[in-house]
Amino acid sequence: MSLDSIRLEGVTTHNLKSVDVSFPKGKLVVAAGVSGSGKSSLVIDTLFEHSKTLYLGALSSKSLDMGDGDYHVDRIAGTQPPVALRQRDGGTSNPRSTVGTLTGLDGLYRLLFGAGSRPVCPACLGPTGADLFCDDCGCFAEPHSAKHFSPNRKEGKCLQCDGIGELVGFSLDRIVPDRSKTLTEIWDGADPGTFAVPNVRKAFEAMAADIGLDLDVPFEKLSPEQTERVLHGSDTVYTLKIRKVTNDVRFEGILGFLERAYRNASSAARKNAFTNYLGREVCPACHGGRLRPESLRATVAGHTFPDFQSDELSRSIARLRAGLASGAVPAQVRELAAAIVKQSTDIEDVGLGHLQLRRPVTTLSGGELQRLLLAQHLASDLTGVMYVLDEPTAGLHEADTGRILDSLRRLRDLGNTVIVIEHDESVIRAADWIVELGPGAGSRGGEIVFEGRYADLLRCAASPTAAALASDGPARTTTDLSGAPWLEVRGITRNNVLDQTARFPLGALTCVSGVSGAGKSSLVAGIHTAVSRALAHRSAGAAGENAGIEGAEALDDVIHVEQRPIGRSSRSTLVTYIGISDHIRDAFAASAEAVERGLGRGEFSPNVAGGRCESCKGLGLAEIEMTLFKSEFIVCPECEGRRFQEHVLDVRLDGRNIHDVLSMTVEDALAWFDAEHSPKVVQALGVLSEFGLGYLQLGCSTTTLSGGEAQRLNLAGELLKQRRSRTLFIFDEPTRGLHTADIRHLLALFERLISSGNTIVVIEHNVKVIALADWVIDLGPGAGREGGRVVHSGTPGELAADPDSVTGRFVRRLRDEGPAAMPAPVTEQEPRVGAPPDLGVLGELLPRAVTVVAGTTRQSERQGPTPYGLVIGSLTVVSDELALIGFLVRSGSTSWNAIADTGRFCVNILGEDQHAVSEAFSQGRPDSRFDALAWTPSANGCPRLSDALGTIDCSLKSSYRIRDHEFVLATVVSADMETGTGRRPLLRPARGDSALDDYGWRRFAREAEAR
């Protein structure tokens, strides 16, 4: 067993089929494969859970049962302390948790202000002197500490709102949202358990009769005095008989009753009855700052504590940096300010610079939360750890993927093993090692399809991922928009979206795109609210159209399918989730055998006593409790995993019992059920099949589904609720968690919805899907305050030509480049576990060999590939172990900029007989230097000269500015050298060797130091 790798043997968790696999340590490893192939079962449910149990058990014997994974494996060796950064929709359960509290930056800022700010006068809030004395008021200020900037401490919190920042109270706008309604209508429409209770209404009617108030008068027609009586009551006591009981009562007003009843409510259920009438307003004392006035006025580098809390991290970083550079940050807290800048920069580097410290964690997406945790671990400098990440690029724009890759590489370079479950091509391409599971999903997957490097993956004929990368990608026929009706929503204002207009065609597919944090969700929420209001307005019989929206008359309904986790109960199954379990039970209960035996629907449910196996309570598994270890589950010996009692299993429908039917796959069940007698079942199974879930068993537990499977099941469940036309469907990143090969199922469903007269709007980052849309609304140009504007509204072709759109740049690149040129697949591959390319032969040739660096780009006016290339005089092997090479290029080089933009290139080492090639590269346009040369695509799709002495396929790692040059650092993916032929490399011509050092580098850097 090698100490350089983590070895798993005989893994049978969920759908895995006795898998044996190795993960090299200290590398960036990507687990790839179609959705449901077994990636999470292998990496998270088995490797992580086993490692967690092992390391928790090392703390004490009582911790041995703290692992919560239901994994099955023969042996795991070489594992490391595990850290899992998973996507958890909704963030944490604590509503008071914010970005600042989660990251610890709140505490650092409190220390910064506690030690670095000067207290103001408590009376006039003016400046104080060195002795904290105010000359104007003659008062001394209290010295600051971190407590004075905490809204949870008496020294710092605002007394009026108790440090919450807002006041919660009953709102008249919520009590009477429509002031055209009469007092009778208001009472009739009141929520149960509130002011509509009989004794309150009787008291109100008595007061109204006493003061001559007409109950049929609209609320808006009441005089100020009448309004006061309705809301706050009167002091008059009335003797009333209510339900045979006579009492003296006083009407205390709607607000008076609600406030008293809410204050005296003895249970949460009672308080919840009033929530519809509660409103929130910013505290007038602290204006949402949550601190007392003296703390709010304190400054560091000219900015207050709320300034740093409410502004975006990227702006706060700029403020502190400017303060450090100018000396505005006091000397005693300069080191603390630098630490805040470093930690905030780590968060900005993972694409979250638009976040505010005061933003609640519950509002973060799963991808944002995972990247926030990633930034924290980057700051921790842990080494020797095994990090497991589940799709860190989910919810991330293509423009920000590079930042995530840099962060993952930093974790790796600290000496950690980084294992990533990912579908994104950029992450797969950047991996040091790839493990692909498949070839299919569910029972058709669970096997190791490929182990190795990216260049070898492209040659693997058995790899669905390689096939998807080599293909043209998903396709669809766009909708003809000529004569199409349009929907226009104006004045959308929500979060960072301010007064924007969204216009898109009905009966078509519209993508809402933009960088992460640009305001896509806010814009779509505004569309949903406006359409819902217009439809409600129309259903109420009101004449005319709602202000700010046009075209809603062509719609009958709007459905917003949001990203949310599906039911995770151990008893939740596929059929219960999509709502066809009752139909299946009814079919069995209606059979002649069931009627003869007196069996009803309940006996055919594994969740109801009577027909289920009582030994395992219908789970099919029996739990064996372990004293020190985690409980184990075995197949129930009573029912042998069939979950029902024998008299229930004896009932058969067309030769199959209830267990047989629940064991069917969706595809098998679709062929078995009769559409005439079971239309609901066939309809639901048909949708699952269209989503590519035909391999799942009807009775499979939802706890065993992968993220991609759960996502598609969630969408299917929503669509099954509404099967109609003239509906606006809004989807939130429907491709999240889907392999490239699975996107076609989603597009096929979209096409069927559109063909039925529906309209689809999707929030999407996937460039391939955006390029296939009929219409694109692109937000930006940046995130947070730098975004929130519609920068483009038009077809994908028009978006690609828009220079102001970040998304347009990637759509343009996709259209220009198309699928990367791939080498011919081979049927077999020999994995080289953890072994970097052998660079020994390069050391004999370099650094004085003349090399050609080539990359492939495409221009919009061209149909084929456009190679770019340049000649460099030498390169050097920076690290044999890490397979790194380096070389110098001139800053601003057109050729190098074009190559660097692709992130991958091929180094061609010229032979001594190739002087003409070297000279040709010194002349002509950068994009035409390959025109007269014979070349073929290398392993990573870049130009390889047919007669080159050797080639080195590389992925760009980083570059560093050295005066007017850039030092480029690249990772070698594969190396192929011509040896044993007697050919020698073309050496760089001598040009004043005195200016070169022993390694072939020019000495301008040293001379600059000497000067």
Side-chain angles (χ1 to χ4, degrees), residues 223-243:
S223 67
E225 183 179 352
Q226 291 173 326
T227 302
E228 175 67 18
R229 290 288 180 268
V230 171
L231 297 180
H232 299 287
S234 68
D235 295 330
T236 305
V237 177
Y238 303 97
T239 302
L240 301 175
K241 185 177 181 180
I242 303 174
R243 295 177 181 174

Side-chain angles (χ1 to χ4, degrees), residues 836-847 876-885 909 952 972 974-979:
D838 182 9
L839 304 185
V841 69
L842 300 183
E844 300 175 6
L845 303 175
L846 309 175
T876 187
V877 177
V878 177
S879 169
D880 290 296
E881 181 182 358
L882 299 177
L884 294 178
I885 62 171
I909 300 177
I952 312 171
V972 177
S974 62
D976 184 9
M977 302 298 299
E978 182 181 303
T979 58

Side-chain angles (χ1 to χ4, degrees), residues 8-21 23 31-48 70-76 421 435-449 704 706 709:
L8 295 89
E9 297 176 356
V11 186
T12 57
T13 305
H14 302 150
N15 69 326
L16 297 178
K17 300 173 181 176
S18 192
V19 163
D20 296 340
V21 66
F23 295 105
V34 298
S35 305
S37 59
K39 303 182 295 296
S40 297
S41 298
L42 177 67
V43 175
I44 295 179
D45 298 336
T46 301
L47 177 58
F48 171 73
D70 182 19
Y71 55 85
H72 301 277
V73 59
D74 292 342
R75 179 172 179 260
I76 297 180
I421 299 173
V435 174
E436 181 177 3
L437 286 98
S443 60
R444 302 172 185 172
E447 302 175 17
I448 300 298
V449 174
T704 65
S706 70
E709 289 170 331

Side-chain angles (χ1 to χ4, degrees), residues 478-723:
T478 56
T479 306
D480 183 6
L481 300 182
S482 58
W486 291 75
L487 181 72
E488 182 174 302
V489 181
R490 299 181 296 274
I492 300 175
T493 299
R494 187 181 294 249
N495 299 329
N496 66 329
V497 175
L498 302 176
D499 195 24
Q500 295 297 298
T501 296
R503 182 177 182 269
F504 54 91
L506 297 175
L509 172 61
T510 296
C511 278
V512 179
S513 62
V515 299
S516 306
K520 301 181 295 298
S521 297
S522 298
L523 183 83
V524 166
I527 294 173
H528 180 255
T529 300
V531 174
S532 299
R533 186 187 301 117
L535 296 179
H537 189 73
R538 189 175 69 203
S539 65
E545 183 100 38
N546 276 24
I549 183 171
E550 294 180 5
E553 67 277 359
L555 296 172
D556 291 335
D557 199 1
V558 56
I559 298 175
H560 193 183
V561 185
E562 299 180 86
Q563 286 278 353
R564 58 178 176 82
I566 67 172
R568 288 293 183 179
S569 166
S570 60
R571 294 189 177 273
S572 174
T573 64
L574 186 69
V575 291
T576 59
Y577 185 79
I578 62 175
I580 63 173
S581 56
D582 286 344
H583 298 290
I584 296 175
R585 295 167 193 156
D586 287 341
F588 274 93
S591 66
E593 288 185 73
V595 173
E596 182 181 346
R597 295 169 184 262
L599 300 178
R601 174 199 289 183
E603 277 77 12
F604 294 95
S605 170
N607 301 324
V608 178
R612 71 181 183 185
C613 171
E614 291 303 324
S615 177
C616 63
K617 305 300 183 184
L619 288 177
L621 299 172
E623 182 179 6
I624 300 178
E625 295 185 0
M626 310 290 283
T627 304
L628 295 176
F629 299 92
K630 183 179 182 291
S631 296
E632 291 290 337
F633 289 86
I634 62 171
V635 175
C636 175
E638 186 71 24
C639 66
E640 297 180 343
R642 296 184 296 173
R643 302 194 285 184
F644 293 92
Q645 297 179 31
E646 284 296 332
H647 72 282
V648 174
L649 294 172
D650 287 341
V651 177
R652 295 183 178 271
L653 196 64
D654 292 339
R656 297 177 185 262
N657 62 30
I658 183 66
H659 172 70
D660 295 333
V661 172
L662 294 179
S663 300
M664 287 182 178
T665 65
V666 170
E667 289 180 350
D668 292 339
L670 194 57
W672 186 76
F673 278 100
D674 184 0
E676 181 179 351
H677 296 93
S678 305
K680 294 290 186 182
V681 174
V682 172
Q683 181 189 54
L685 296 178
V687 172
L688 295 180
S689 180
E690 290 176 12
F691 266 71
L693 298 176
Y695 58 87
L696 293 180
Q697 289 185 328
L698 300 188
C700 72
S701 172
T702 57
T703 59
T704 65
L705 299 182
S706 70
E709 289 170 331
Q711 154 80 333
R712 282 179 283 171
L713 184 58
N714 181 19
L715 294 178
E718 292 290 344
L719 292 176
L720 285 169
K721 296 176 185 177
Q722 299 285 344
R723 303 283 290 187

